[in-house]
Amino acid sequence: MFRDTPQAQQAQQVPQDPQRTARPRGAAVRRALALAAVPVLLVAGCSSGGDGGSKEAAEPSAAPSSAAPSPEPVKFTTLPDPCQSLGRDLVQEVVPKAPPGKNLGSKDADAYTSCLWSGLDDFEYRALSVSFRRFDSDTGLGSGDERATEYAAQQVEAATRDESHKGVKDSPLKDLGDAATNVAYDTAKKDGKKSEDYREQRTVVRSANVVITVDYSGAGFEDAKTPSADSIGKGAEKVAEKALSALD
């Protein structure tokens, strides 16, 4: 066996300084801990911010404003063809020798339609118009029925307040639609230099959101007699009934 040299023995006998060896190890540990703490703080900060964001997102937003009210549904959404609403037999009964009715036209046939018939049988003249007016519900203006009620009143008022109408008599008409009114009157119309006397009646009928306005008039030219108020009134009511059935 080889013996240790004196230098080797001396080196083995030299004790190591505990403080010298401890300092580097302790400094390294502290540096390692310090470096390890950095990502921990960063992770904690990110986690804190993330949680805060999640809480804000989870918080319920302000309650949305209530939805606008919907208009009330209406009974009638379309209108019949006014010129086809009466049938030829009835037209010939109230307006003898009348040609086919003249549709007065409308930009919106689902809201307003009107037809005119006129005829001369010898010297007996008759004229008839039938108009349908329909209303939709409007949240600002009222229901279709309410708007139709207002319009029907306007139609009656227009006939009763016209200063050219004489001997005006208005009366309710029972058992026709939801409400009905007759307005009978006399008027004079000029034909050139000559004036002719006319007997007329307006019958206004409301059914739900639709108003039917019937204007019926007659005159006797030359030696013919002016028709009676009774015959004009019965003719207007008969037309109104038929127009109402066409609506239904």
Side-chain angles (χ1 to χ4, degrees):
M1 295 182 64
F2 295 98
R3 293 183 179 179
D4 294 333
T5 62
Q7 291 84 353
Q9 291 177 0
Q10 185 178 0
Q12 290 177 359
Q13 292 175 1
V14 176
Q16 295 183 350
D17 187 350
Q19 292 183 358
R20 260 173 136 183
T21 57
R23 280 176 189 162
R25 186 178 301 170
V29 171
R30 284 194 297 272
R31 281 197 301 271
L33 291 175
L35 291 174
V38 173
V40 172
L41 292 174
L42 291 175
V43 171
C46 293
S47 300
S48 176
D51 291 342
S54 298
K55 290 179 180 178
E56 290 176 2
E59 290 179 358
S61 58
S65 57
S66 58
S70 300
E72 293 182 18
V74 294
K75 181 177 181 180
F76 300 107
T77 57
T78 60
L79 293 175
D81 182 340
C83 293
Q84 302 298 322
S85 62
L86 304 181
R88 182 167 178 77
D89 291 344
L90 178 56
V91 171
Q92 289 299 314
E93 178 185 337
V94 296
V95 187
K97 296 186 178 181
K102 179 181 179 181
N103 195 315
L104 301 182
S106 172
K107 293 181 179 180
D108 185 358
D110 286 335
Y112 179 79
T113 59
S114 185
C115 190
L116 172 65
W117 296 265
S118 61
L120 184 63
D121 184 9
D122 290 334
F123 295 103
E124 294 183 357
Y125 175 79
R126 299 291 184 273
L128 170 70
S129 69
V130 176
S131 301
F132 294 86
R133 181 73 168 86
R134 189 185 69 84
F135 293 87
D136 285 317
S137 296
D138 187 289
T139 54
L141 300 176
S143 68
D145 289 19
E146 291 170 342
R147 297 177 67 195
T149 298
E150 183 179 357
Y151 178 77
Q154 293 172 354
Q155 292 294 94
V156 171
E157 185 178 8
T160 57
R161 293 196 175 186
D162 191 324
E163 294 182 356
S164 67
H165 298 170
K166 308 302 179 182
V168 177
K169 296 180 180 178
D170 64 284
S171 58
L173 181 59
K174 296 181 180 180
D175 303 324
L176 191 61
D178 293 318
T181 303
N182 284 331
V183 182
Y185 56 91
D186 296 333
T187 188
K189 299 178 183 180
K190 286 188 177 182
D191 183 8
K193 295 182 179 180
K194 191 175 181 180
S195 179
E196 299 288 351
D197 293 329
Y198 284 76
R199 190 144 286 152
E200 304 192 12
Q201 177 163 308
R202 169 171 286 186
T203 299
V204 181
V205 182
R206 181 185 70 83
S207 178
N209 60 310
V210 172
V211 176
I212 301 170
T213 302
V214 174
D215 285 303
Y216 184 43
S217 65
F221 298 155
E222 301 298 336
D223 295 332
K225 294 182 179 180
T226 303
S228 67
D230 185 62
S231 66
I232 293 297
K234 287 181 178 179
E237 291 177 17
K238 187 178 290 188
V239 168
E241 288 180 17
K242 185 65 174 179
L244 182 61
S245 67
L247 178 65
D248 293 335

